């Protein structure tokens, strides 16, 4: 089955670090970008950035550049989203989603089920 | 940066109604536009890409049109299971952007 499997929900304190994951299966992991999308409680979808797992090239939304780091380990078909110092405002659902590499195909055709991150003191 | 503006922000319609949601880009994006459906508590789902191409498995009552700056998503006959928030997304450049969403309810 073609799927993206995300890591489980996290509860963290402000200032803590965190890395969440997204594992692709059933398809060629290096043939698709993996993007991360944030959805704050009751709000819309926000694209954060993406990675090409074949060479780890990344590009970020200006809104998230410098606040998070996206990485990937193609040997285990897994992409990551990482924070070095969480804030309460990072509380949200985070989805990973894939896009074909070619520029005509940069829509999201497969989504993970989401990882809920709660940051609270 | 190109902004994506959806209208209306919310709407209520009756079962069987024809429903239209609009997405406007602040600059031309050719046909590099997708539409997604997110049902309450669920994962977003791709409905349409390239402005008018229906994703496999999506009911034919959904259709998309437009090019350049103005796009529409149409549901030809609203069904109860179509209650959801709908998002447009541009992908003409490496800066991917969603519209703010349109919440659709049944009257």
């Amino acid at each position: 089955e073609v799927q993206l499997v995300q890591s489980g929900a996290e509860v963290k304190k402000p200032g803590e670090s965190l890395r969440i994951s997204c594992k692709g299966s059933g398809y060629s992991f290096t043939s698709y970008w993996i993007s991360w999308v944030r959805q704050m409680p009751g709000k819309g979808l926000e694209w954060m950035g993406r990675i090409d797992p074949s060479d780890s090239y990344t590009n970020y939304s200006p809104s998230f550049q410098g606040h998070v780091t996206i990485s990937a380990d193609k040997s285990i078909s897994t992409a990551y989203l990482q924070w070095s110092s969480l804030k309460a405002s990072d509380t949200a659902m985070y989805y990973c989603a894939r896009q074909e590499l070619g520029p005509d195909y940069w829509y999201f055709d497969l989504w993970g089920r989401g990882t809920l991150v709660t940051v609270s003191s | 940066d190109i902004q994506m503006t959806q209208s209306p922000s919310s709407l209520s319609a009756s079962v069987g109604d024809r429903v239209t949601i609009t997405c406007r880009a602040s600059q031309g994006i050719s046909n590099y536009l997708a539409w997604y459906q997110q049902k309450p508590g669920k994962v977003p789902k791709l409905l349409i890409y390239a402005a008018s191409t229906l994703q496999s498995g999506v009911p034919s009552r959904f259709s998309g049109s437009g090019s350049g700056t103005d796009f529409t998503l149409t549901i030809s006959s609203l069904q109860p299971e179509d209650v959801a928030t709908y998002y447009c997304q541009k992908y003409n450049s490496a800066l991917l952007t969603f519209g703010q969403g349109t919440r659709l309810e049944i009257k």
Side-chain angles (χ1 to χ4, degrees), chain A residues 75-92:
Chain A
S75 69
I76 54 171
S77 300
T78 301
Y80 302 98
L81 178 65
Q82 182 174 330
W83 295 261
S84 59
S85 181
L86 286 160
K87 304 175 184 177
S89 57
D90 293 317
T91 295

Side-chain angles (χ1 to χ4, degrees), chain B residues 3-107:
Chain B
Q3 305 302 314
M4 306 301 294
T5 304
Q6 291 182 230
S7 61
S9 296
S10 64
L11 77 153
S12 182
S14 300
V15 173
D17 280 356
R18 183 181 182 88
V19 172
T20 298
I21 297 169
T22 296
C23 179
R24 175 164 288 174
S26 59
Q27 298 176 40
I29 59 169
S30 184
N31 69 334
Y32 292 105
L33 187 98
W35 289 96
Y36 300 86
Q37 175 193 64
Q38 187 178 32
K39 296 183 178 182
K42 300 298 185 182
V43 177
K45 172 187 172 182
L46 176 66
L47 295 177
I48 287 167
Y49 60 93
S52 61
T53 302
L54 202 65
Q55 173 72 341
S56 176
V58 174
S60 59
R61 63 181 180 274
F62 291 92
S63 64
S65 65
S67 183
T69 60
D70 294 313
F71 303 87
T72 58
L73 172 69
T74 300
I75 307 172
S76 60
S77 178
L78 186 65
Q79 300 301 303
E81 60 265 32
D82 299 335
V83 169
T85 300
Y86 293 84
Y87 297 92
C88 62
Q89 176 235 331
K90 76 160 187 76
Y91 56 96
N92 67 308
S93 74
L95 181 54
L96 309 173
T97 307
F98 290 95
Q100 82 278 15
T102 295
R103 186 171 182 174
L104 175 58
E105 298 176 338
I106 299 288
K107 232 182 244 182

Side-chain angles (χ1 to χ4, degrees), chain A residues 58-86:
Chain A
T58 54
N59 73 280
Y60 293 88
S61 163
S63 299
F64 292 92
Q65 178 90 48
H67 297 287
V68 296
T69 301
I70 296 171
S71 60
D73 184 341
K74 64 182 179 182
S75 69
I76 54 171
S77 300
T78 301
Y80 302 98
L81 178 65
Q82 182 174 330
W83 295 261
S84 59
S85 181
L86 286 160

